[in-house]
Amino acid sequence: MSAQFQLLNAAAFDHTIKRLCYELIENHNNFENTVIIGLQPRGIYLSGRICDELQIITGLTGIAHGHLDVTFYRDDFRRRENPLVPNRTQIDFIIEDKNVILVDDVLYTGRTIRAGMDALLAFGRPKKVELMVLIDRRYSRHLPIQPDYVGKVVDTIASDNVKVKWKEIDEQDEVFMITENEDNL
Amino acid sequence: MSALSVKHLLGIKDINANDIDMIFKTADTFKEVINRPIKKTPSLRDTTIANLFFENSTRTKLSFELAEKRLSADVINFAASSSSVSKGETLIDTVNNILAMKVDMVVMRHPYAGAAKFLSKHVNATIVNAGDGAHEHPTQALLDAFSIREKLGDLKGCKVAIVGDILHSRVALSNIFCLQKLGAEVMVCGPATLIPKYIHELGVKVELNLKKALEWCDVANMLRIQLERQDIKYFPSLREYVMLYGLNKQILESLSKQIVVMHPGPINRGIEITSDVADHAQSLILQQVENGVAVRMAVLYLLAGSIK
């Protein structure tokens, strides 16, 4: 029997995004030399939310924000049943010598982030790349990749599934876990 | 996650509107990729592609080769004129020898209609038809439709006139299939001798008067007179053809609306279109070439994804 339980409700979700913004402000000050890039398809909602919130908190307008699709850089091409259909990449600024904050919703094996770093290099050589995720599924990495900014850490096993819902597409903000191992509850 | 409904791209006739839509969406993203500072992606790094050209080609060959290289595939090229084909080797033998070198995909142009389909039945590789005789040239039709979609938006209800040597043209046939699958209306126009006898059965309009065809259409796709395929004379003189079917600036600007002019290349300037039309603001010719790379990248990417 699989069971589902909530990791973040709408209020906690909102607090988490605000806290992530303050962490960014501590390190990036006025965002003069910093760009925020959300990974397609679902990291773009977090990056969009972070940019909106940063604008409210700091009053800064025009923080550089882009979307990056990693489909062509994935390491599982031809190892899946069917090829993935790509999403749109939109980076209208130069990332050469910039601090780049890569943003995704859930960090699991780290393979998407690896592909994201490869894809990023097609746009130049950033000064520094940091990683922000809403959920870090700890102890499940296939690659040596760790996030710099984390919304919430969860311990999971491979058969568990963590889902992030976004107001923009799913009507409400929520993070929940589906598990077959009810001892986890 | 999705895949094309076919394992090979042999002709537009074999694919459906969903396939075309998927190819266009993928090509949109590749078009963005080829305008980046670094124009290459690693998607096909473990795929080897052979380009077999049994017939001359400039654009298609370069475009496929560039698309393959931008996807990081390993590429080998083969031209019939400099190969053992001239020593009497058969098509299947030639291709099987190339496949023995562990090639995953074959892009082939051949002077005989049906050559790509024949090959797909007899060899174990993914085949992409880059033109087979006067039959089909699917990637050209896809890039033409992609260019129209980019310029005019939706193809539904769009009126396209294909003008010139319809009888010998694989571009015309593939374009008819592709445009109809996307909901466009198609008319063919040219001398009666160069219009296939039963073409109206494909659901296309036939018009012998260039001016009337141009007044009807939103897009005019001007084809080349394929003198190399014409075994007999189909019209009295090239001069007369130019007078009746050549598109010049005067005609283009006398129309009651602005139409888009396309040409699959190679252009015979001064015959099917004059230089001032080829270089006109309403001409899409160079965009077609740019889009050709993105569309071919999409086709190769989507087909390669199902190779195991």
Side-chain angles (χ1 to χ4, degrees):
Chain A
M1 265 291 279
S2 66
Q4 179 177 327
F5 67 96
Q6 200 175 48
L7 295 172
L8 289 177
N9 61 21
F13 199 104
D14 192 45
H15 288 150
T16 306
I17 285 175
K18 287 203 172 81
R19 196 240 311 144
L20 287 171
C21 285
Y22 282 107
E23 284 185 32
L24 278 182
I25 293 165
E26 270 184 16
N27 290 339
H28 293 271
N29 216 346
N30 56 5
F31 292 85
E32 206 175 40
N33 207 29
T34 299
V35 302
I36 297 176
I37 294 179
L39 292 183
Q40 286 276 21
R42 296 184 73 92
I44 61 167
Y45 301 105
L46 179 58
S47 65
R49 212 64 87 71
I50 292 283
C51 287
D52 293 347
E53 194 62 43
L54 280 174
Q55 193 173 338
I56 294 168
I57 298 169
T58 62
L60 292 168
T61 54
I63 297 174
H65 175 212
H67 297 166
L68 179 64
D69 182 68
V70 307
T71 310
F72 304 133
Y73 297 83
R74 296 181 65 95
D75 57 7
D76 56 357
F77 185 65
R78 286 177 61 176
R79 287 164 184 82
R80 297 173 158 266
E81 199 55 33
N82 291 318
L84 290 169
V85 173
N87 291 292
R88 185 158 283 285
T89 291
Q90 189 169 8
I91 296 182
D92 307 327
F93 41 80
I94 307 288
I95 66 159
E96 191 78 26
D97 255 347
K98 293 276 164 65
N99 298 310
V100 175
I101 302 160
L102 273 186
V103 180
D104 205 0
D105 60 347
V106 181
L107 175 61
Y108 180 37
T109 62
R111 286 179 190 266
T112 304
I113 306 302
R114 200 278 315 150
M117 288 193 285
D118 260 11
L120 198 61
L121 296 181
F123 294 88
R125 182 181 185 270
K127 186 173 170 203
K128 187 179 180 189
V129 181
E130 291 181 313
L131 176 61
M132 170 186 283
V133 295
L134 187 63
I135 301 293
D136 174 11
R137 292 181 65 172
R138 189 158 62 162
Y139 308 133
S140 48
R141 224 71 81 221
H142 295 178
L143 296 166
I145 283 171
Q146 297 307 331
D148 300 282
Y149 308 96
V150 182
K152 187 177 173 71
V153 178
V154 294
D155 295 335
T156 57
I157 56 172
S159 60
D160 296 341
N161 204 343
V162 177
K163 288 268 179 230
V164 180
K165 284 188 171 179
W166 295 97
K167 238 179 347 204
E168 290 86 339
I169 46 169
D170 308 308
E171 289 174 3
Q172 55 171 341
D173 290 339
E174 188 190 7
V175 182
F176 61 92
M177 180 156 118
I178 303 162
T179 179
E180 285 171 12
N181 174 16
E182 292 193 37
D183 294 343
N184 240 340
L185 293 173
Chain B
M1 214 186 303
S2 43
L4 297 178
S5 65
V6 289
K7 293 275 173 244
H8 312 276
L9 183 64
L10 304 176
I12 301 292
K13 197 178 179 181
D14 310 322
I15 64 175
N16 57 42
N18 282 342
D19 292 329
I20 298 173
D21 188 55
M22 195 189 302
I23 291 169
F24 285 180
K25 283 191 178 135
T26 310
D28 282 334
T29 56
F30 277 122
K31 185 153 185 191
E32 181 270 321
V33 168
I34 60 177
N35 283 298
R36 288 181 190 174
I38 295 172
K39 298 169 175 58
K40 212 169 157 119
T41 68
S43 313
L44 299 197
R45 64 195 146 199
D46 52 357
T47 308
T48 309
I49 305 178
N51 296 320
L52 311 188
F53 281 75
F54 293 90
E55 204 182 74
N56 294 336
S57 163
T58 312
R59 245 161 312 278
T60 308
K61 188 161 182 278
L62 286 178
S63 179
F64 264 112
E65 192 171 340
L66 200 55
E68 290 152 6
K69 288 182 170 167
R70 296 264 151 93
L71 289 166
S72 307
D74 293 317
V75 181
I76 53 173
N77 287 307
F78 164 97
S81 51
S82 58
S83 73
S84 289
V85 171
S86 50
K87 298 178 192 163
E89 194 173 48
T90 66
L91 176 59
I92 293 184
D93 280 341
T94 303
V95 175
N96 272 330
N97 274 282
I98 292 168
L99 294 181
M101 301 175 207
K102 306 295 171 210
V103 170
D104 306 291
M105 296 178 91
V106 173
V107 174
M108 184 174 76
R109 166 164 292 186
H110 200 282
Y112 293 148
K117 184 158 191 174
F118 172 76
L119 204 59
S120 72
K121 285 186 175 162
H122 291 96
V123 306
N124 182 23
T126 299
I127 313 289
V128 180
N129 182 4
D132 58 336
H135 180 224
E136 281 230 42
H137 189 354
T139 54
Q140 180 70 43
L142 289 168
L143 77 89
D144 287 346
F146 183 83
S147 305
I148 298 173
R149 165 182 173 267
E150 195 177 63
K151 178 84 181 175
L152 303 178
D154 198 2
L155 271 94
K156 198 160 247 136
C158 180
K159 293 176 175 162
V160 182
I162 305 174
V163 183
D165 184 352
I166 311 296
L167 186 64
H168 297 99
S169 174
R170 52 189 168 219
V171 175
L173 190 59
S174 287
N175 258 285
I176 291 170
F177 289 139
C178 188
L179 293 166
Q180 287 183 338
K181 284 180 188 203
L182 296 171
E185 283 183 69
V186 185
M187 174 185 280
V188 294
C189 172
T193 48
L194 289 175
I195 303 235
K197 201 170 175 186
Y198 296 106
I199 197 148
H200 57 273
E201 294 193 358
L202 292 176
V204 300
K205 293 186 171 61
V206 178
E207 175 59 64
L208 301 181
N209 182 306
L210 176 69
K211 187 80 195 263
K212 282 185 187 161
L214 296 176
E215 282 292 355
W216 173 84
C217 71
D218 304 310
V219 179
N221 199 347
M222 307 300 294
L223 303 181
R224 181 175 65 95
I225 291 294
Q226 306 205 17
L227 291 171
E228 77 277 14
R229 288 189 210 280
Q230 298 185 0
D231 42 356
I232 53 165
K233 272 207 167 280
Y234 288 87
F235 44 82
S237 71
L238 215 47
R239 182 169 168 272
E240 186 183 304
Y241 180 84
V242 174
M243 286 169 69
L244 292 173
Y245 293 101
L247 177 57
N248 57 42
K249 200 174 170 186
Q250 198 186 351
I251 301 176
L252 187 65
E253 289 179 351
S254 74
L255 300 175
S256 54
K257 59 180 174 184
Q258 284 212 339
I259 63 163
V260 174
V261 179
M262 302 176 74
H263 194 301
I267 307 175
N268 290 321
R269 285 181 184 249
I271 302 181
E272 62 274 7
I273 56 174
T274 53
S275 280
D276 46 11
V277 172
D279 308 327
H280 200 272
Q282 284 161 250
S283 149
L284 273 191
I285 297 171
L286 290 177
Q287 283 95 309
Q288 283 175 269
V289 179
E290 182 188 350
N291 289 338
V293 177
V295 166
R296 290 184 173 109
M297 285 172 85
V299 166
L300 293 168
Y301 171 81
L302 291 168
L303 288 175
S306 53
I307 301 173
K308 288 289 169 286

